[in-house]
Amino acid sequence: MSTPYPFTAIVGQDDLRLGLLLNAVSPAVGGVLVRGEKGTAKSTAVRALAALMPEVPVVPGCRFSCDPGSPDPACPDGPHAEAAGVSRAARTVELPVGASEDRLVGALDIERALSEGVKAFEPGLLADAHRGILYVDEVNLLHDHLVDLLLDAAAMGASYVEREGVSVRHAARFLLVGTMNPEEGELRPQLLDRFGLTVEVSASRDTDERVEVVRRRLAYDDDPAGFAARWAEEESALRERIAAARVLLPRVVLGDGVLRQIAATCAAFEVDGMRADIVMARTATALAAWAGREEVTADDVRQAALLALPHRRRRNPFDAPGLDEDKLDQTLDEAGPQEDGSDDDPGPGPDGGGDGGGGGGVPPQADGDRTPPSASQSDDTPSPAPESAPDTPGRPAGGEQQPVAAAEPFRTKTLSVPGLGEGAAGRRSRARTEHGRTTGAVRPQGALTKLHLAATVQAAAPHQRARGRAGRGLVVRRDDLRQATREGREGNLVLFVVDASGSMAARQRMSAVKGAVLSLLLDAYQRRDKVGLVTFRGKEAEVALPPTSSVDAAAARLESLPTGGRTPLAAGLLKAHDVLRVERLRDPSRRPLLVVVTDGRATGGPEPVALAGRAGRLHRSEGTASVVVDCESGYVRLGLAGELARELGGTAVTLDELRADSIAGLVKDVTAAGRAA
C-alpha cells in the first residue's frame, strides 16, 4: 500500500505496540517475535513501525547502506571516499517464506568470477535490511537453510557469500521482527532465542473495542490518505517521543540492585545461557528511557521479564509460553531493594505504569482493555485428567471413559521412509536437497546456485584451443557450468492412526500409548515433519487433526482423546487413505509415513478383520511406508498387530522396543520387506 496504516490508530494490543516501540528506542534489544492468531494486526503493526523510525544517513550510491561517519572498510562497493552523507527513511525489508538462498544473501556471478577473476555481486535482502528492519511474516514456516543464514548474520552482524573459494562479505545489522501463528508450528530453539522479546496477541473480546477496530479499518480502506492525515499529529508526537527516548537512553542508570533482580529472575526461571540477562537489562533500560526517566526501577525489570523470558523458558514444543507472575513477583521481592536504596520503587511512571502496565508505560494511543499475555493459551491448554479413577481394564461396548493423561515422553528410535525423496528440507529421510553432501553434477536448470567446480572445469577443458585460449585463465562459457547435486534429509508427513476403542481403554495402558505417541510427536517436531492425527472408536473414524506443522496442536488433541466402544480398524485405515490422497495432491513431493497405534484387534460390522486386511493392502499397493506400534499387552498375545503390519507392507514395533532401542541410538528404517509376505 502506498499509504501505510498509522501505528497510533491501532486499537488495543498494548504489548505488541510496546515491544515494537522499545526496539525503535533501542535496536540493541534484539527484535521482537509476535505470536498470535490470525487477524490480530501483527503485520499491520510491524509495517506501520517503519514510518516512526528515524532517518538513516548513508553513503551516496552505496548499495549496502554504509554509514558515512564510519563506513565499512570491507564494503563491496568501497572503499568510500570522504563525502557528505545523505539521509533516507529506514527500510523495512520483508523476507518471503519461499525465498531462495540467493535472494536472501545475494548472488555471485560464478562465470565472471572464474573467467575474469572479478567479484560481480548482486546484493540480497540482508544487504537491503542493513541498518533497518528485516521482517519475516510466518517466520515459523521459514526453511531451515534460510534460518541458518539468518542465525549467522544475526550473530556476526555480517553476511558472507562463499562460492568455490570466491567470497564476498558485507555488514548486515538489522532489527529482526517476526510474526507467526503457533497453530502452524513452532520455531527452532536457536532462532527463537535470537529474538530479544516476544509478545502474545489475541483478538479482544470487548464489544466496544471490536467495533472501533472495524470502524477504523473501514475508514482507512475508503480513504487511506485522508485517514492517515487525521492521525498525523499523533504520529508526529510518537515519533518525537521515540527520538527523545533515544537521546536519553545513554544517560539511563542501571544500578547494581536492579541488575541483581535481573540475574535472580533469570536464574529462578532456569533460562539457558546469559542472553536473557543481557536482553532484560537492555529492555529495562529502554523502558526507563521511554518513560522519560534516568534510572531503571523494579517495575521496569518486571515488564522486561514479561517480554524477554516467556519464549526462553520452554523446554519442549508442548510447553505453553508464559511466566508465572506470582513467582516473578516473589523473586523480585526476594532480590529487592539493597542497602544503597537504588531499587526503591518510585511508583507509577509518567504514563501510569503500575504492576499491570509495565515499568515504562504504553504508547499514547486508544484506550482498551488489556488482554493478558497468557489469555490466548487458556482455551487450548488441556485440563489434566483426573487421577482418582481406578485402573479398570475397560467398560462395556459403547461406553466412553474420560481422557487420561499421557505418560512421560521419551526418546524414540528414528523411523524413516525408504528410498530417496525430493521433499521439503528436514531431518528424517534421505532426499535430494540444496544442502548436504555432494553426490554428482548436472546441467543447471535456471540460475546456478551450487557450482560443481571439478565438473565445470572438466566440461570446459576440451574446448580451450577452439576458444582461442592464450593466457593462464580458463575460458568458461555458460554451457560449461555444472550444478552440484546434493543429498541431505527431508521432512515427511507423519500420519498417526490411533486406536481409541474399548480394547485400549485400560487406564495405565492408554496412558502409556499416549506417552508413546507424544514421544513420536516430539521426534516429528525435531525432524521438521508435518503431522496429522486420525482416531477410530465406536462405529467410525475421524480426522482429529488435519496435516499441520503444529505438533503442539496434535499433542493437545491427543491429550483430550476419549476412549471406549468397538474397534473399527478398517474405518481408521480408510480414513487415513483419504487424508493421504488429498495431501498427495496438495504437496506431492512430501512423502508420507503412516504410524498405526493399535493392538491389532478389529470388531464391529461383518468380517472386520478381513476388511482391515483389505484396507491395509490398499496402502501397500500405493507404496505408503508404514509402521505399526503394537500396543498388545498381557501374557497371552495374539500377534494381530504383526499381521496388520504385513498387510500394510511395513514393520511392527512394540512399545518397549520403541523406547529401548533409542537408548542404543539404533535407527530402524521402514522397509518394504513385508511386501513379499
Side-chain angles (χ1 to χ4, degrees):
M1 298 180 183
S2 57
T3 304
Y5 193 91
F7 190 89
T8 50
I10 296 173
V11 179
Q13 306 297 9
D14 294 344
D15 288 337
L16 169 59
R17 292 178 292 151
L18 181 59
L20 292 172
L21 289 170
L22 291 178
N23 276 276
V25 171
S26 176
V29 166
V32 59
L33 173 66
V34 186
R35 296 166 46 95
E37 59 198 36
K38 51 189 175 292
T40 49
K42 300 189 297 293
S43 300
T44 299
V46 175
R47 295 187 178 105
L49 178 67
L52 302 176
M53 299 290 285
E55 290 191 338
V56 178
V58 297
V59 173
C62 177
R63 298 175 297 168
F64 301 88
S65 303
C66 279
D67 186 346
S70 56
D72 182 5
C75 176
D77 284 355
H80 297 297
E82 293 186 7
V86 296
S87 294
R88 61 161 175 77
R91 292 173 179 163
T92 297
V93 177
E94 295 193 29
L95 171 60
V97 170
S100 66
E101 179 179 336
D102 284 348
R103 184 71 188 98
L104 178 61
V105 301
L108 192 65
D109 192 328
I110 300 296
E111 185 175 357
R112 290 189 62 191
L114 289 176
S115 59
E116 303 176 28
V118 298
K119 297 179 182 179
F121 181 69
E122 183 66 28
L125 295 177
L126 290 180
D128 292 342
H130 179 48
R131 304 176 68 202
I133 301 171
L134 181 62
Y135 170 47
V136 190
D137 193 14
E138 305 294 352
V139 64
N140 51 323
L141 303 182
L142 201 63
H143 291 303
D144 275 2
H145 67 282
L146 297 182
V147 170
D148 293 336
L149 293 170
L150 272 182
L151 289 173
D152 290 342
M156 298 183 293
S159 174
Y160 292 84
V161 181
E162 301 283 350
R163 294 289 169 81
E164 306 299 339
V166 181
S167 64
V168 173
R169 174 212 168 274
H170 65 82
R173 291 182 293 275
F174 46 81
L175 173 61
L176 182 61
V177 180
T179 57
M180 61 175 282
N181 184 347
E183 294 180 356
E184 297 173 342
E186 287 293 345
L187 272 177
R188 282 173 54 182
Q190 295 93 330
L191 183 57
L192 193 63
D193 190 52
R194 286 293 175 187
F195 287 98
L197 311 179
T198 184
V199 295
E200 295 281 337
V201 297
S202 61
S204 172
R205 300 298 182 256
D206 180 82
T207 302
D208 292 338
E209 189 167 313
R210 295 175 75 97
V211 168
E212 186 62 23
V213 170
V214 175
R215 181 182 290 118
R216 293 186 187 183
R217 185 69 207 193
L218 293 178
Y220 171 76
D221 291 340
D222 289 341
D223 182 11
F227 183 82
R230 290 196 293 274
W231 290 89
E233 184 176 346
E234 288 83 353
E235 291 281 286
S236 178
L238 189 57
R239 193 178 297 109
E240 291 176 1
R241 185 177 177 186
I242 292 172
R246 282 194 167 196
V247 172
L248 179 62
L249 186 67
R251 302 200 302 270
V252 174
V253 176
L254 188 69
D256 290 342
V258 292
L259 271 176
R260 179 173 292 276
Q261 286 184 311
I262 289 171
T265 301
C266 292
F269 285 99
E270 300 180 347
V271 296
D272 295 331
M274 295 297 299
R275 183 174 284 120
D277 303 63
I278 297 171
V279 170
M280 272 191 66
R282 290 171 174 167
T283 304
T285 303
L287 280 163
W290 175 248
R293 289 184 273 100
E294 295 188 3
E295 185 176 2
V296 176
T297 68
D299 277 343
D300 296 329
V301 175
R302 186 182 193 278
Q303 183 65 44
L306 293 174
L307 292 171
L309 296 188
H311 61 302
R312 291 186 164 90
R313 57 160 291 276
R314 304 183 75 195
R315 289 295 179 264
N316 65 65
F318 310 133
D319 292 338
L323 291 182
D324 182 340
E325 296 195 31
D326 290 337
K327 180 179 178 180
L328 174 60
D329 291 333
Q330 180 181 354
T331 302
L332 292 175
D333 289 341
E334 291 175 352
Q338 304 299 306
E339 293 181 359
D340 61 2
S342 61
D343 280 330
D344 289 343
D345 186 358
D351 294 298
D355 289 342
V362 296
Q365 299 172 28
D367 294 332
D369 294 338
R370 181 167 182 166
T371 302
S374 60
S376 63
Q377 301 296 329
S378 60
D379 294 334
D380 295 330
T381 303
S383 300
E387 295 298 332
S388 58
D391 292 331
T392 55
R395 300 280 174 87
E400 179 176 310
Q401 296 190 20
Q402 291 297 319
V404 300
E408 189 70 19
F410 53 86
R411 290 189 61 189
T412 68
K413 65 175 62 176
T414 303
L415 305 173
S416 62
V417 179
L420 192 64
E422 296 181 347
R427 300 179 183 177
R428 183 172 296 278
S429 305
R430 294 174 55 231
R432 298 183 185 91
T433 60
E434 294 185 5
H435 298 268
R437 64 185 181 88
T438 301
T439 57
V442 296
R443 290 180 180 272
Q445 301 295 324
L448 179 71
T449 57
K450 296 292 183 182
L451 178 74
H452 195 296
L453 182 58
T456 298
V457 173
Q458 186 176 10
H463 308 290
Q464 296 306 295
R465 181 176 298 177
R467 293 173 182 174
R469 174 183 172 184
R472 299 177 60 185
L474 188 67
V475 182
V476 179
R477 303 280 171 82
R478 174 69 185 175
D479 290 342
D480 301 328
L481 299 179
R482 295 294 183 269
Q483 175 87 18
T485 58
R486 304 193 175 205
E487 182 178 312
R489 293 279 169 175
E490 68 177 359
N492 298 110
L493 166 59
V494 182
L495 181 62
F496 294 92
V497 182
V498 180
D499 185 349
S501 65
S503 66
M504 303 280 287
R507 190 171 185 80
Q508 290 180 339
R509 185 178 181 189
M510 197 61 199
S511 178
V513 168
K514 285 187 175 182
V517 178
L518 196 65
S519 303
L520 291 168
L521 283 171
L522 182 58
D523 180 69
Y525 164 77
Q526 293 168 340
R527 299 186 186 282
R528 316 303 291 173
D529 295 317
K530 289 180 68 175
V531 296
L533 179 63
V534 173
T535 63
F536 58 94
R537 57 182 291 272
K539 297 181 179 180
E540 60 185 14
E542 66 172 349
V543 180
L545 182 71
T548 175
S549 297
S550 178
V551 294
D552 49 347
R557 301 294 195 280
L558 178 72
E559 193 73 14
S560 60
L561 178 67
T563 58
R566 295 185 179 274
T567 312
L569 176 57
L573 295 174
L574 292 175
K575 181 67 72 173
H577 179 268
D578 292 340
V579 172
L580 294 180
R581 177 177 54 81
V582 173
E583 286 302 308
R584 285 189 180 99
L585 297 175
R586 290 176 176 171
D587 191 358
S589 64
R590 188 181 289 269
R591 298 187 293 165
L593 172 62
L594 185 68
V595 179
V596 185
V597 185
T598 181
D599 57 8
R601 290 181 173 85
T603 60
E607 299 182 343
V609 177
L611 187 59
R614 288 197 294 272
R617 290 192 292 275
L618 179 61
H619 284 281
R620 176 179 175 179
S621 67
E622 296 184 352
T624 303
S626 60
V627 60
V628 178
V629 179
D630 184 359
C631 302
E632 191 173 24
S633 60
Y635 293 105
V636 179
R637 302 197 178 203
L638 303 178
L640 297 176
E643 291 290 340
L644 176 62
R646 283 189 285 275
E647 296 286 9
L648 286 165
T651 188
V653 57
T654 67
L655 290 174
D656 290 339
E657 291 171 341
L658 194 65
R659 177 194 299 268
D661 286 356
S662 65
I663 298 175
L666 299 180
V667 176
K668 187 177 183 67
D669 288 340
V670 182
T671 65
R675 296 178 183 174

